[in-house]
Amino acid sequence: TLNSGVGGCTGTAGTLGTWSTTTSLPVTTDVSTATTNNTYVYLVGGYNGTSIIATVYYALICTTLNSGVGGCTGTAGTLGTWSTTTSLPTATDYDSVQVNNGYLYEIGGYTTASTAVVQYALINSNGTLGAWTTTAALPTGTAVITSAVYGGFLYKIGGYTTANVATVDYAQINNGGPGTLSSWNTTTSLPAATDAATSVAYNGYVYEIGGYTTATTAVVDYALICTSTNSGLGGCTGTAGALGTWTATTSLPTMGWYATSVAYNGYLYEIGGNSGSNPTSLVYYAPISSNGALGTWTATTSLINIINGTLGDSMATSVAYNGYVYEIEGSANSTAATGVEYAPINSDGTLGNWTETSVPATGLYMATSVVYNGYVYEIGGATISGSTLQSTVSYAGLQSLPRVGRYSMLLDFTGSSTNDPTPIEILVNGGACNSGLCTTNLTNPGLGGISGPGGIRVRYEFASNACTTFNSQTKLPLGLSFLGLPKPLVFTSNGCGSTTNIGRYMFVTYILDDTQTATFPDVFGNRSSLSYSTVYYHPASAYRLRGGKTFSNGSLQTLDAPPL
């Protein structure tokens, strides 16, 4: 609603602006892997229509501030010049790529046969890669795999060697030096040999969704990620990084393949795909419970794009961002889709109505897409006619509202130059509001912002008469009991490194973060809110009256009796 007139936006939140073509790839390619890190896009390996390639390309994501750098011209969202950086040691496609802690990992894939090689390269601040280093290889050469990263471990799940496999392997990251992997350990195998599946790691569990066994499957399995402290739970025996017993949870409602899926705010979504040989427009979602199991799959708002007379889409790509899910192109009945649809994600997991928005110039399928800093990028893919590989990279800005409010206040408790008060506790009341009555976040129980499902975050810092420079910010401890209960304040020193007279000034910042829970359009009551906060403090001893009371700004204060 704030960027109307910019980039083809018309003021409707959630829609896309005009798709624009940005710097094309130097070569046509497919079955590459793409990822982003910091302010760069990377394309790794793949097939150029003639042979498998080892080249790694990268391009700077442009802003209005980096004009003249890396081929950028000042247009936000465009890509700078694609450049080659350190190539893979061996030409590879059908691999898996993960970014972790400043390193790019390439895992398995296909060279002249399925390969077991795992290698990594340092991502430099200028976007280039350092030398590729081979680290612990997979136990067996594997392609068409899926992978996940969680809790300092890298997981390789299923795939294809000379046949589908059920093997799951894991390795510890940075074990033996920066970027290195420990030896791979085989952990609990999948219930069935599977390739071409998808997987996610979420809230301490790994999920494997669909794929191909001896036929297309609707099975969804999950396993607990073990730690040294959860022995005896879910089949874990105390070995950190291992997986517990794989357990089948609620299956997809229909056999499907070539679907696309996303996980967002505690729900797993399956979108479109093929049911048998026919494309489908159905969209299902299931809640992810705290014990890892999925609840019942429920149909939500179906796709609306009609391709070649058929309602439905397969081989599409999708992303979830800032309260919306986007489905981008695909195919049906040998015709490429040129449609892009988006739907708001409601706090109860349902989707709102799908709406068509701006589309790329060329209808493609089997492309890949990433989201970064408010822009969605579609990379490569193929046309239906002749399956012509594409080098085009398109991008569009996203218009969804950030839904993050920041509020702050400076408290001056007053004191003398030698004797300041001592703040000791803060109490925050707020949450979901109804008719002006604020409770305890009933509609939006999550706390912690981006690291959790949203809610209220609080930061504070202190200064004093002796030193008016504030110390570094301290996070208020979070938890479900956060609202409505006083929490002790923690400080070590003022901004000058001294604990003397620390308490005169207190700067408090409140962050209301609904990026993962609010619906669109806004609904009163479905948002985090702050009704009031109270800071309790010990008055300076020289200013206390008999009985413990004190004056502040000429007003008699209550007894020095904070709640805790």
Side-chain angles (χ1 to χ4, degrees), residues 12 73 81 148 152 171 212 218 227 240 273 298 311 314 339 348 361 385 428 436 461 491 520 543 557:
T12 303
T73 58
T81 305
Y212 190 92
T227 68
T298 304
L311 179 63
S314 68
D348 62 357
S385 177
V428 179
E461 49 196 312
F491 58 84
F520 183 84
Y543 292 90
Q557 303 298 298

Side-chain angles (χ1 to χ4, degrees), residues 22 27 85 129 146 197 316 370 402 468 475 531:
T22 186
V27 295
T85 184
L129 297 181
T146 185
V370 293
T468 55
K475 298 178 182 179
S531 55

Side-chain angles (χ1 to χ4, degrees), residues 136-155:
L138 296 171
T140 305
T142 314
V144 202
I145 62 177
T146 185
S147 62
V149 169
Y150 192 89
F153 291 90
L154 181 61
Y155 295 86

Side-chain angles (χ1 to χ4, degrees), residues 23-383:
T23 314
S24 292
L25 298 169
V27 295
T28 58
T29 181
D30 72 352
V31 291
S32 303
T33 49
T35 189
T36 59
N37 184 74
N38 200 3
T39 56
Y40 292 89
V41 173
Y42 294 85
L43 191 81
V44 183
Y47 183 80
N48 65 8
T50 304
S51 58
I52 302 171
I53 62 176
T55 311
V56 178
Y57 298 98
Y58 73 104
L60 179 65
I61 300 173
C62 302
T63 68
T64 57
L65 303 177
N66 62 4
S67 180
V69 179
C72 289
T73 58
T75 303
T78 60
L79 296 182
T81 305
W82 285 95
S83 303
T84 58
T85 184
T86 314
S87 293
L88 298 169
T90 305
T92 312
D93 62 5
Y94 286 112
D95 53 355
S96 182
V97 169
Q98 294 283 348
V99 170
N100 184 268
N101 199 30
Y103 290 88
L104 182 63
Y105 293 84
E106 192 224 22
I107 309 154
Y110 188 90
T111 55
T112 55
S114 297
T115 179
V117 173
V118 179
Q119 45 207 349
Y120 67 95
L122 177 67
I123 302 174
N124 298 317
S125 59
N126 64 358
T128 60
L129 297 181
W132 286 94
T133 301
T134 300
T135 186
L138 296 171
T140 305
T142 314
V144 202
I145 62 177
T146 185
S147 62
V149 169
Y150 192 89
F153 291 90
L154 181 61
Y155 295 86
K156 189 278 314 180
I157 304 170
Y160 186 91
T161 55
T162 56
N164 294 352
V165 297
T167 306
V168 179
D169 301 300
Y170 71 101
Q172 188 174 6
I173 301 171
N174 294 341
N175 183 266
T180 60
L181 298 179
S182 69
S183 298
W184 288 87
N185 299 284
T186 299
T187 187
T188 315
S189 294
L190 297 169
T194 311
D195 71 355
T198 184
S199 62
V200 296
Y202 183 87
N203 199 29
Y205 292 87
V206 169
Y207 295 82
E208 192 227 22
I209 306 158
Y212 190 92
T213 55
T214 56
T216 306
T217 179
V219 173
V220 180
D221 298 302
Y222 72 103
L224 179 64
I225 299 172
C226 303
T227 68
S228 58
T229 59
N230 64 2
S231 180
L233 298 178
C236 289
T237 58
T239 302
L243 297 183
T245 305
W246 284 96
T247 303
T249 187
T250 315
S251 293
L252 298 169
T254 59
M255 294 288 186
W257 54 309
Y258 286 129
T260 182
S261 62
V262 294
Y264 192 86
N265 192 33
Y267 292 91
L268 186 61
Y269 296 84
E270 192 210 33
I271 304 167
N274 275 5
S275 179
S277 59
N278 298 315
T280 178
S281 63
L282 295 177
V283 179
Y284 296 98
Y285 73 101
I288 304 172
S289 67
S290 59
N291 66 0
L294 297 182
T296 303
W297 286 95
T298 304
T300 187
T301 314
S302 296
L303 299 169
I304 60 174
N305 197 16
I306 298 177
I307 308 168
N308 197 21
T310 299
L311 179 63
D313 202 357
S314 68
M315 303 184 194
T317 182
S318 64
V319 295
Y321 186 81
N322 211 22
Y324 294 87
V325 60
Y326 297 82
E327 196 239 19
I328 305 167
E329 301 202 302
S331 71
N333 295 343
S334 300
T335 300
T338 55
V340 178
E341 305 175 45
Y342 72 98
I345 303 172
N346 298 321
S347 58
D348 62 357
T350 60
L351 298 182
N353 291 328
W354 289 91
T355 303
E356 291 183 313
T357 185
S358 302
V359 300
T362 304
L364 302 172
Y365 75 112
M366 295 186 73
T368 186
S369 61
V370 293
V371 173
Y372 184 82
N373 199 29
Y375 291 88
V376 58
Y377 296 84
E378 186 194 43
I379 304 171
T383 60

Side-chain angles (χ1 to χ4, degrees), residues 383-406:
T383 60
I384 291 291
S385 177
S387 296
T388 304
L389 305 181
Q390 300 296 301
S391 63
T392 305
V393 180
S394 302
Y395 72 99
L398 296 168
Q399 300 183 46
S400 53
L401 299 175
R403 290 194 172 97
V404 177
R406 295 176 181 270

